[in-house]
Amino acid sequence: LLALLHVDQVIELIRSMPDQKSCREALMRTNNDDSDTNNTGDSQLRLGLSAEQADSVLRLQLGQLTRLNQGKLEEEKAELESKGADLQRLLDVDDAVYELMIEEFDNMDAKFGHDRKTKILNDDGEVNEIDLITNSRSVIVVNRGGYIKRLPLTTFESQGRGTRGKRGTSDSSSSDDEVLHCITCNDHDTLLMITQNGIAYGLPAYQVPTASRTAKGTPIPSVLPISMDQVVTTVLPVSEFSKDEYIVLATEQGWIKRTPLDAFAKTSSRGLTIASLTEGDKLKWCRRCTDQDDILLGSSGGMAVRFPACTLRPTGRTSRGVRSMKLRGTDTIADMNVVI
């Protein structure tokens, strides 16, 4: 606006300056500046502009030096002065701040206000780790060397009859890589891992580390507090500890017992004694059964016996059990299974 009020003098000043830098300095000169200049064209022009204002004046085109453009600048000046006054009022008057906040909140409510699309419900329960795990189907593999791994069931897709199949363990000729147990389960299932010395460990299936098909797996002592020389004889996946099901346990020397499945509900990774063994005896077989099933045992001497599971009286976890069959001399139990 100052430049437009003194447009003739500004034009004369610009024409008389040798370069743009000198012209900017002349436009920024104030009445208090007594410095002399080699040009006398600006001897009476003292606008006192800032550096930004001087650059804006120098960028003006001749077409902008009109009364219409001057009116726009005056409107902009009045708007800025009004806005400055409002901002200063906010700094000086607390009530003005509250009034502005109320006005802005009302505008937000008018623009974004709508009924809530979600509900907040009270939940007294805690979020457990298992609640965050997808209950997918998996394959659990335990080898003779004491390694365990978990693979998604989708790793082994369906194949046609007569095909070679895929390798599911490491490519090694060592006997330690021989598969001892291979089961399918849900990731939310509890794995009852029973050792030959009569200790049962409960481990959620999702806590078994995952590995590739050809990987060796993770040492069992890394997931359970057992030593490498302890042999896991059975891995049972349990989705629900039902009162109508039982676990049949048989030892190498012919002792057998039937214990309700719900007696194992509190089995944890710390271990739980599930059978009392005599010296030199080993717990070799553990199977799930119901009262409608039969139990079949065979000895290394070629003898076998089959009887209904309901004839075997249920006993507690720590009981020794009863004799399953009469063994002669050094004969031992070779295998035990449940006939459905």
Side-chain angles (χ1 to χ4, degrees), residues 190-193 195 197-204 207 223-227 230 265-274 317:
T190 298
L191 299 179
L192 288 180
M193 305 183 68
T195 63
N197 59 350
I199 305 297
Y201 300 88
L203 180 69
Q207 290 186 359
V223 294
L224 293 176
I226 64 176
S227 59
Q230 293 186 14
K266 295 183 179 181
T267 306
S268 65
S269 59
R270 292 175 296 182
L272 202 66
T273 300
I274 61 171
R317 283 189 302 103

Side-chain angles (χ1 to χ4, degrees), residues 285 296-305 325 332-337:
W285 302 275
L296 178 64
L297 296 101
S299 72
S300 58
M303 306 300 291
V305 62
M325 62 186 299
T332 58
I333 300 296
D335 201 357
M336 183 274 289
N337 215 329

Side-chain angles (χ1 to χ4, degrees), residues 241-273:
F241 291 90
S242 172
K243 295 181 179 180
D244 299 328
E245 286 189 87
Y246 301 86
I247 290 184
V248 179
L249 302 96
T251 70
E252 192 176 39
Q253 295 181 3
W255 293 91
I256 191 171
K257 58 181 277 189
R258 184 168 67 116
T259 302
L261 182 60
D262 62 349
F264 299 84
K266 295 183 179 181
T267 306
S268 65
S269 59
R270 292 175 296 182
L272 202 66
T273 300

Side-chain angles (χ1 to χ4, degrees), residues 277-292:
L277 302 176
T278 60
E279 185 178 354
D281 200 4
K282 297 178 181 178
L283 180 62
K284 298 292 289 289
W285 302 275
C286 301
R287 302 287 187 268
R288 294 172 65 171
C289 74
T290 63
D291 286 336
Q292 289 72 39

Side-chain angles (χ1 to χ4, degrees), residues 106-161:
D106 289 340
N107 294 335
M108 292 175 60
D109 182 59
K111 184 176 181 180
F112 303 106
H114 54 75
D115 294 337
R116 187 180 184 92
K117 297 182 179 180
T118 58
K119 294 182 179 180
I120 299 177
L121 303 177
N122 293 326
D123 186 6
D124 297 332
E126 297 181 358
V127 177
N128 299 318
E129 182 182 7
I130 194 172
D131 298 327
L132 308 177
I133 305 297
T134 304
N135 193 21
S136 305
R137 294 288 292 174
S138 296
V139 178
I140 305 295
V141 178
V142 179
N143 64 21
R144 192 172 297 278
Y147 288 80
I148 187 172
K149 66 179 179 179
R150 176 168 60 96
L151 304 87
L153 185 59
T154 53
T155 304
F156 305 95
E157 66 271 9
S158 177
Q159 294 178 296
R161 183 179 61 84

